[in-house]
Amino acid sequence: MSQQRPHQFSVIVTTKNRDQYLKQALDSILAQTRAAAEVVIVDDGSDVAVADRLPGSERFRHVRHENSLGVSAARNAGARAARSDWLVFLDDDDWLADDFLEHITAFLEGACKPTAFIWSGKTKVFERKGKRVPVLLPAVPTDHPPSPQDWASLMDVTCSGMAFNREAFLAAGGFDEQLTMTEDRDLMFRLLAAGVVGFPCPSANLFFRIHDGSRLSNEGHRRVGAESDLTVLQRHQTFLDKHPVLAERFMGRVAKRLWAAGYYDEAIAINRRLCHITPGSQRGRRRQFLWALQRRFRPQIKQLSGFL
């Protein structure tokens, strides 16, 4: 009887002008107790090419965009260049625990087939405070596909630290390169709606750095982020209508972000829809009551055209 070929991993690191973090990310990959088959660095328009300034760059494969195309395009380029059957995405300001790939490998060997994506545990690292906070994932039986209730922890993770079967990732179309935010949720909803099986792997740990570097914090980016949220919500509303657990987590987050950014009417409309999907949610109804009350005294100075 022929033995199944062991899984191989391509770790894809996307980066742009953040050398102060990139070295730690790469060192964490090289230190793995279960070695990666390859490391693909996607340089998304750095001022000076990473391959030209990184010591020991010959140990890695390089993909470069002369002009920045965004993180979604960078990840997709890395996936196309990768040669392994599994992809692990890592942002340049995060890093992996030394046994990350070992835990992912063991998980795949014991999980039901076909498992096509995995989300890992996470430790938030607050750079300024020097504080670390673990984000605990629930343990889910792996002898059968997870239930929609088990998907809730997907809303607590980002694509940094996620592992995807390369064939399933490419068949789903990868990340939507038109989205500047919420591209990770968009991909997850597409996979789940297509019946693709994914699991949480709590024992594999990603260190997720929270720092004072570049953020989507100015007014222009707030609007772009709001538009991305609404695009993903409208695209997957039918799917979310059927899955109240995911709807409560995602739509509640989108509504709160819109409210904080000053898009009050849009926030109230989304929360109202959420209350219809989850009629037993006291949280949503309490939020609707408070927002309707506060809205009387908060004139909306911003509006997203075409939504209301």
Side-chain angles (χ1 to χ4, degrees), residues 233 237 240-241 244 247-252 255 266-292:
L233 178 56
Q237 188 66 73
L240 291 168
D241 286 346
E248 185 162 17
R249 297 294 299 277
F250 178 68
M251 293 176 67
E266 289 86 352
I268 289 173
I270 290 171
N271 196 68
R272 184 184 302 117
R273 177 70 174 261
L274 178 58
C275 288
H276 286 299
I277 299 172
T278 59
S281 172
Q282 295 301 315
R283 182 184 307 169
R285 295 195 176 279
R286 183 167 56 250
R287 187 163 54 224
Q288 193 73 1
F289 172 78
L290 291 174
W291 282 358

Side-chain angles (χ1 to χ4, degrees), residues 3-8 34 85 105 109:
Q3 292 184 338
Q4 184 177 3
R5 179 174 174 267
H7 294 295
Q8 299 293 315
R34 200 280 196 195
D85 59 330
T105 301
E109 291 174 351

Side-chain angles (χ1 to χ4, degrees), residues 24-302:
Q24 185 172 16
L26 296 175
D27 285 347
S28 76
I29 302 170
L30 297 176
Q32 291 296 301
T33 55
R34 200 280 196 195
E38 62 177 358
V39 181
V40 180
I41 301 175
V42 184
D43 179 359
D44 189 41
S46 293
D47 296 337
V48 178
V50 170
D52 295 339
R53 66 178 191 272
L54 181 69
S57 64
E58 67 278 358
R59 293 174 293 179
F60 314 111
R61 297 183 61 212
H62 293 270
V63 176
R64 175 166 167 80
H65 296 157
E66 292 297 330
N67 299 305
S68 178
L69 300 179
V71 68
S72 293
R75 288 173 180 154
N76 287 345
R80 289 191 297 269
R83 297 178 290 208
S84 303
D85 59 330
W86 276 83
L87 314 172
V88 175
F89 292 103
L90 182 64
D91 291 349
D92 60 358
D93 52 352
D94 301 330
W95 69 97
L96 305 175
D98 292 352
D99 56 0
F100 183 94
L101 292 180
E102 184 177 341
H103 282 291
I104 294 291
T105 301
F107 189 88
L108 282 171
E109 291 174 351
C112 74
K113 306 297 187 292
T115 299
F117 69 103
I118 294 173
W119 58 101
S120 71
K122 179 170 69 176
T123 298
K124 293 182 178 179
V125 180
F126 294 85
E127 187 174 65
R128 180 185 288 272
K129 299 178 181 178
K131 183 180 180 181
R132 298 188 176 191
V133 179
V135 178
L136 301 178
L137 294 181
V140 174
T142 59
D143 57 349
H144 59 273
S147 69
Q149 287 72 28
D150 297 327
W151 298 340
S153 62
L154 261 176
M155 299 298 99
D156 296 324
V157 302
T158 63
C159 280
S160 183
M162 288 191 71
F164 295 87
N165 174 273
R166 182 175 182 271
E167 183 177 342
F169 176 87
L170 295 177
F175 294 99
D176 184 338
E177 298 180 11
Q178 302 304 311
L179 294 172
T180 58
M181 290 179 64
T182 325
E183 76 287 342
D184 46 4
R185 304 295 184 262
D186 174 67
L187 175 59
M188 294 172 195
F189 292 152
R190 277 187 280 129
L191 290 169
L192 293 174
V196 176
V197 176
F199 282 99
C201 180
S203 59
N205 190 41
L206 166 81
F207 291 97
F208 181 82
R209 193 192 310 265
I210 299 174
H211 55 83
D212 295 329
S214 57
R215 299 285 183 190
L216 294 175
S217 57
N218 64 44
E219 189 56 46
H221 282 120
R222 277 182 181 271
R223 183 179 182 87
V224 171
E227 290 175 346
S228 293
D229 280 344
L230 291 175
T231 296
V232 173
L233 178 56
Q234 292 171 328
R235 181 180 293 171
H236 300 288
Q237 188 66 73
T238 301
F239 172 75
L240 291 168
D241 286 346
K242 300 175 183 177
H243 297 93
V245 172
L246 284 179
E248 185 162 17
R249 297 294 299 277
F250 178 68
M251 293 176 67
R253 185 193 74 158
V254 170
K256 287 186 286 186
R257 281 169 47 155
L258 289 171
W259 183 267
Y263 300 103
Y264 305 128
D265 291 341
E266 289 86 352
I268 289 173
I270 290 171
N271 196 68
R272 184 184 302 117
R273 177 70 174 261
L274 178 58
C275 288
H276 286 299
I277 299 172
T278 59
S281 172
Q282 295 301 315
R283 182 184 307 169
R285 295 195 176 279
R286 183 167 56 250
R287 187 163 54 224
Q288 193 73 1
F289 172 78
L290 291 174
W291 282 358
L293 187 63
Q294 294 175 39
R295 179 67 180 88
R296 297 181 182 182
F297 308 100
R298 295 189 181 188
Q300 174 149 321
I301 59 175
K302 311 165 189 175

